[in-house]
Amino acid sequence: MSLLPRTAEEFSSAEYWERFFKKRGEKAFEWYGDYNKLCGVLHKYIKVQDKVLVVGCGNSELSEQMYDVGYKHLTNIDISETVVNHMNQRNAERRPGLTFQQMDATQTPYEEASYQAALDKGTLDAMASEEEGALARNMLTEVARVLSVGGRYVCVTLAQESVIKLAVDRFVQLGWAVRLHCLQEENRSVEDSFALPVFVLVCTKFRQPMPMPILEMCLGEDGAPTRLTQVSDLLSAVREHQAYSVLKKRLRTSTDASSNLSLTLSHTKTGLPRYTLTVQDCPPGAKVPRSNQFAIFIVPQGSETAWLYSSSEGRRQLAASANFRRLVIVAMHRNQEYTDMQDVQSELSPMVMDLAPPGMPANQQVPFLSVGGDLGWREEVSRGVSELSGEYCVENVKGEDGELYRRLVFLSNAALVQSESRLVPSNTVSAASGHKKKSKKKAKPTTAPSTSSTCLSVDSGFLCCAHHEVMVAGLTMLGVGTPQNKDVPVSVLLVGLGGGGLPQFLRDFVPNVTVEVVELDPVVMQVANEWFGFRPDDRLTVTLGDGLERICALEKEGGRLFDVIMFDVDNKDSTVGMSCPPAAFVETSILQKVRSLLTPRGIFTLNLVCRDSVLRKSVLERVSAVFPTIISRKIEGEVNEVLLCSHGENGTSKASTILPSLNQAGKSLQSALYSNRTGPKSSPHIDIAELLKDLKIE
């Protein structure tokens, strides 16, 4: 299988090319390669007997070299009289049939359809910057005029985007077929700070213009053509090859433990992402065995969102543990088939040396590492589209602990698991729903579970998200389960449903609880019902709508108070340094409404995910202005932290007086959760005492 590299780094054409042309200076033709590099593709499209017009020949040796191997019908033209005189003198004796003429390539005296090929090495690149491209367009029009039907314009170019777009647009407009070869770059010295590939643009003239554009990209001189539908797709493919070249140059000349260079390998035919590779170098001064130069680590399917593989700090920790000079961490993509580790290794091996660290011996063995030699297992069970959140998929995966899990992932942010639940055989837990699994083409599992996915159910007693566990543990602040609160009802308002794991746990295990969930997206509720064992009833209800609007409506209506109000809602705006909750949910006016909806003993529980320290400080200041008592609990290995906030109207306004009392209350809550179990045949898998250990007073 062929793989097309796609770097994750942005490739800035304008900035890069400005630096390139300054660096290039007067050495223009050196960057395009000589006959030895170009001969394969030239012989493919230009026959020895063809009559060839060489446009802007300059003092390049290419025409001389082609003449020497049998091309005797070359007409070389250049605008410079000095160059033409020099080239004629240089070849008068050795190549009497090779002539050079001083001529403007935009206006030639040659008859229409008088040439079978036009060869351009760098001339288009030079002319495109003149007169806003008008000069180049005129040259291309003249080339089109003098070429016969079936004739080809063969242009050796560095494919600056504005240049290649100008040429491709022109020939597509004329109805010609367009093919672009990206030639493999030669080994260049490390001093060469530009390692861009050379492209050869081949445009073929048809008798009748093609009704639909024919656009093709080939890797190397003999690579199979990949058909593209739009000029923008071709330009994008060019950028990807150029960016990959820059990335390879960077990797083979330096190491940098602080960077997280990554690229995506896509299937050549389908264009679908297949692997994402992230490069992690060891820090300077690390004691690495001489033989441990380079290794590839294969992340098990379904584990790519784990902290160890998805975060910068986690990858650094993984690399330190592996103890190689450079570790490439490979994640496999959804909706792709992977047979076994050997096949994955065979597929990746041809590209491995592109990513090797500088100075590594060419014959060095590159080990492939994994967790237990296993690719993991993933099965997509459902896919759909939400108008609010975009495309999503529901998948079953096998965790590194050997357990099976079900996940909801929105593909706009595929690295984030929106919701997750543990699966168990249906004979262990009553079936959550009676639907049959939809027919889906699925990846061949390397280690398939012994139980069919149709016989699996969600274990409502297991909370996969650590912040959900802390939110449950926060009920100790209410004294839930203590003797003095026996039979006292607990009312919860939760904004944000997700897969429904948290509200279902509350419903099934917290005594005397009633839960209202507010969810904006009806598709999320449908997915929770169908795939995550969510079962609303008279004690667990869902209000579809905007959480803020619901808060405002409840306050306006009056007469209804809650013991707990929980915010567990994500922020769709990725430009803000706070991914949970949206900023509007922690505005002072909303926080005041939340306070007014709480009972005297009530608590406000907030799942906060904020990477911006300044923004976090601002949020805490606003929350503390409304809720004098704030106890926080950070989630290990994640950005999440849970804030447990009290307005102090029950006489416990000082957090210092609350913390000592929580240990005993935690034991009461633990006992109450185990004894309640009003839901299916399941037990709560939660350790309240452990969750209360790392509470911090803000």
Side-chain angles (χ1 to χ4, degrees):
M1 179 184 296
S2 300
L3 294 173
L4 173 67
R6 293 186 178 178
T7 61
E9 284 192 312
E10 180 181 0
F11 185 71
S12 174
S13 293
E15 178 184 350
Y16 191 89
W17 284 100
E18 182 180 355
R19 291 191 294 117
F20 173 78
F21 284 116
K22 287 180 181 178
K23 173 78 175 179
R24 187 179 72 164
E26 298 300 319
K27 303 176 183 179
F29 285 106
E30 295 180 12
W31 297 93
Y32 293 86
D34 58 12
Y35 172 78
N36 290 330
K37 177 173 182 175
L38 301 173
C39 63
V41 72
L42 294 182
H43 285 290
K44 188 181 182 77
Y45 294 106
I46 304 176
K47 297 181 178 67
V48 172
Q49 66 270 24
D50 282 350
K51 190 177 178 184
V52 183
L53 177 65
V54 183
V55 182
C57 59
N59 59 6
S60 169
E61 297 177 356
L62 182 60
S63 291
E64 296 167 333
Q65 293 164 332
M66 291 180 67
Y67 185 90
D68 290 344
V69 298
Y71 288 90
K72 304 302 183 184
H73 309 289
L74 302 174
T75 302
N76 301 278
I77 64 173
D78 197 278
I79 195 72
S80 169
E81 183 178 0
T82 302
V83 165
V84 167
N85 289 337
H86 170 70
M87 295 302 288
N88 277 324
Q89 292 172 11
R90 193 164 88 182
N91 291 282
E93 293 185 9
R94 290 185 58 192
R95 303 176 183 90
L98 184 62
T99 60
F100 296 81
Q101 302 175 31
Q102 192 261 325
M103 193 171 299
D104 182 353
T106 65
Q107 294 178 325
T108 70
Y110 309 121
E111 295 181 3
E112 289 186 12
S114 55
Y115 288 91
Q116 285 80 52
L119 177 59
D120 173 347
K121 181 184 174 185
T123 302
L124 177 67
D125 289 3
M127 295 180 74
S129 61
E130 302 290 332
E131 301 178 13
E132 298 181 343
L135 206 60
R137 277 186 284 271
N138 291 339
M139 184 265 287
L140 295 177
T141 299
E142 184 67 3
V143 164
R145 184 185 71 81
V146 301
L147 282 177
S148 60
V149 172
R152 292 183 170 112
Y153 171 60
V154 180
C155 176
V156 184
T157 173
L158 293 177
Q160 185 180 5
E161 182 162 326
S162 58
V163 175
I164 208 72
K165 184 177 188 303
L166 182 152
V168 173
D169 281 345
R170 180 64 182 131
F171 286 112
V172 166
Q173 185 181 25
L174 293 172
W176 292 27
V178 174
R179 177 178 289 180
L180 195 60
H181 284 263
C182 176
L183 300 187
Q184 304 291 342
E185 58 213 81
E186 300 169 351
N187 293 326
R188 304 187 182 185
S189 65
V190 293
E191 291 80 13
D192 175 8
S193 55
F194 292 91
L196 289 176
V198 169
F199 291 83
V200 179
L201 175 67
V202 182
C203 304
T204 304
K205 185 175 184 177
F206 288 176
R207 186 176 303 277
Q208 295 293 331
M210 299 303 295
M212 297 293 290
I214 296 179
L215 303 167
E216 294 177 332
M217 169 67 82
C218 302
L219 186 58
E221 60 188 40
D222 295 318
T226 300
R227 184 67 62 91
L228 304 165
T229 56
Q230 302 180 65
V231 174
S232 60
D233 295 334
L234 184 67
L235 298 177
S236 178
V238 170
R239 285 195 302 272
E240 287 160 3
H241 286 296
Q242 291 170 330
Y244 182 53
S245 180
V246 172
L247 182 142
K248 286 195 295 183
K249 171 65 183 178
R250 182 173 171 181
L251 290 175
R252 67 173 174 246
T253 56
S254 65
T255 59
D256 184 357
S258 62
S259 72
N260 282 282
L261 292 175
S262 67
L263 68 152
T264 298
L265 301 182
S266 298
H267 194 291
T268 302
K269 291 183 179 179
T270 66
L272 294 174
R274 186 159 173 79
Y275 299 99
T276 293
L277 282 62
T278 305
V279 179
Q280 183 62 58
D281 290 330
C282 69
K287 294 181 180 179
V288 178
R290 181 170 296 181
S291 60
N292 285 15
Q293 290 281 323
F294 186 35
I296 313 295
F297 183 90
I298 307 297
V299 178
Q301 293 182 86
S303 297
E304 61 279 345
T305 57
W307 176 82
L308 190 64
Y309 310 123
S310 64
S311 68
S312 299
E313 182 58 36
R315 287 190 293 266
R316 281 194 290 270
Q317 190 177 111
L318 177 65
S321 175
N323 201 24
F324 280 82
R325 188 173 168 215
R326 171 170 290 165
L327 186 68
V328 173
I329 301 162
V330 180
M332 294 171 280
H333 280 252
R334 295 178 176 85
N335 214 22
Q336 292 284 308
E337 293 186 3
Y338 306 94
T339 306
D340 53 34
M341 183 64 73
Q342 185 176 353
D343 276 8
V344 169
Q345 183 172 343
S346 299
E347 196 174 355
L348 293 173
S349 289
M351 305 195 69
V352 161
M353 293 311 295
D354 283 349
L355 310 178
M360 192 184 94
N363 60 351
Q364 178 88 41
Q365 290 293 314
V366 180
F368 278 70
L369 313 176
S370 65
V371 179
D374 190 357
L375 290 182
W377 177 81
R378 187 205 317 265
E379 174 192 48
E380 184 177 301
V381 295
S382 179
R383 185 177 283 249
V385 178
S386 159
E387 291 185 7
L388 297 176
S389 303
E391 190 175 8
Y392 70 86
C393 76
V394 179
E395 60 187 18
N396 296 339
V397 301
K398 188 175 78 170
E400 291 184 18
D401 58 0
E403 299 286 349
L404 298 180
Y405 296 90
R406 179 163 292 162
R407 292 174 174 173
L408 169 63
V409 177
F410 286 106
L411 300 184
S412 58
N413 189 2
L416 176 69
V417 175
Q418 184 74 20
S419 297
E420 184 174 26
S421 295
R422 191 169 73 174
L423 298 174
V424 292
S426 295
N427 58 0
T428 302
V429 175
S430 299
S433 59
H435 64 79
K436 293 183 179 179
K437 190 175 77 68
K438 297 177 182 178
S439 175
K440 287 279 181 179
K441 185 179 180 181
K442 59 186 181 183
K444 298 175 184 176
T446 56
T447 308
S450 57
T451 304
S452 168
S453 61
T454 57
C455 301
L456 295 171
S457 296
V458 169
D459 182 357
S460 67
F462 190 91
L463 293 170
C464 291
C465 298
H467 71 275
H468 284 170
E469 292 185 305
V470 176
M471 294 172 92
V472 172
L475 296 177
T476 55
M477 292 178 65
L478 291 177
V480 173
T482 58
Q484 60 268 36
N485 287 311
K486 186 179 181 182
D487 299 327
V488 174
V490 179
S491 55
V492 179
L493 177 66
L494 169 61
V495 180
L497 173 64
L502 175 58
Q504 193 65 56
F505 183 97
L506 295 171
R507 162 63 182 84
D508 288 348
F509 301 105
V510 176
N512 307 307
V513 75
T514 56
V515 183
E516 178 186 343
V517 185
V518 184
E519 173 54 48
L520 180 63
D521 192 341
V523 172
V524 169
M525 180 178 173
Q526 178 185 343
V527 170
N529 285 331
E530 186 173 1
W531 294 104
F532 288 87
F534 183 63
R535 305 175 307 280
D537 57 19
D538 59 340
R539 289 175 51 202
L540 175 56
T541 60
V542 178
T543 300
L544 285 174
D546 183 273
L548 295 178
E549 292 178 3
R550 182 59 177 160
I551 294 286
C552 295
L554 286 167
E555 189 219 22
K556 186 176 181 180
E557 293 167 6
R560 188 176 176 193
L561 300 179
F562 297 89
D563 295 304
V564 188
I565 296 179
M566 298 178 171
F567 283 180
D568 185 29
V569 55
D570 66 331
N571 185 7
K572 303 297 183 188
D573 185 358
S574 59
T575 63
V576 181
M578 182 168 64
S579 54
C580 187
F585 279 78
V586 285
E587 293 294 336
T588 300
S589 59
I590 294 299
L591 294 172
Q592 289 172 340
K593 293 179 189 300
V594 169
R595 173 172 174 159
S596 70
L597 289 171
L598 288 172
T599 60
R601 66 169 186 161
I603 58 172
F604 168 50
T605 305
L606 173 64
N607 176 28
L608 178 64
V609 184
C610 188
R611 290 173 172 81
D612 186 329
S613 59
V614 175
L615 181 56
R616 179 185 180 275
K617 182 180 178 182
S618 172
V619 170
L620 282 174
E621 287 174 351
R622 272 176 275 150
V623 175
S624 62
V626 179
F627 297 94
T629 302
I630 301 178
I631 298 175
S632 68
R633 170 65 150 77
K634 287 192 175 293
I635 307 303
E636 184 179 0
E638 298 180 23
V639 186
N640 298 62
E641 60 182 317
V642 176
L643 303 184
L644 305 172
C645 313
S646 170
H647 49 59
E649 292 182 11
N650 59 349
T652 56
S653 59
K654 293 184 179 179
S656 58
T657 64
I658 296 177
L659 286 180
S661 65
L662 291 184
N663 289 334
Q664 185 56 48
K667 294 178 183 178
S668 298
L669 177 59
Q670 185 83 53
S671 176
L673 295 176
Y674 270 94
S675 61
N676 195 50
R677 288 192 288 180
T678 57
K681 303 171 185 176
S682 178
S683 298
H685 305 274
I686 189 169
D687 188 340
I688 300 297
E690 187 66 28
L691 294 166
L692 297 176
K693 282 184 179 179
D694 297 315
L695 296 179
K696 174 186 173 184
I697 301 172
E698 293 290 345

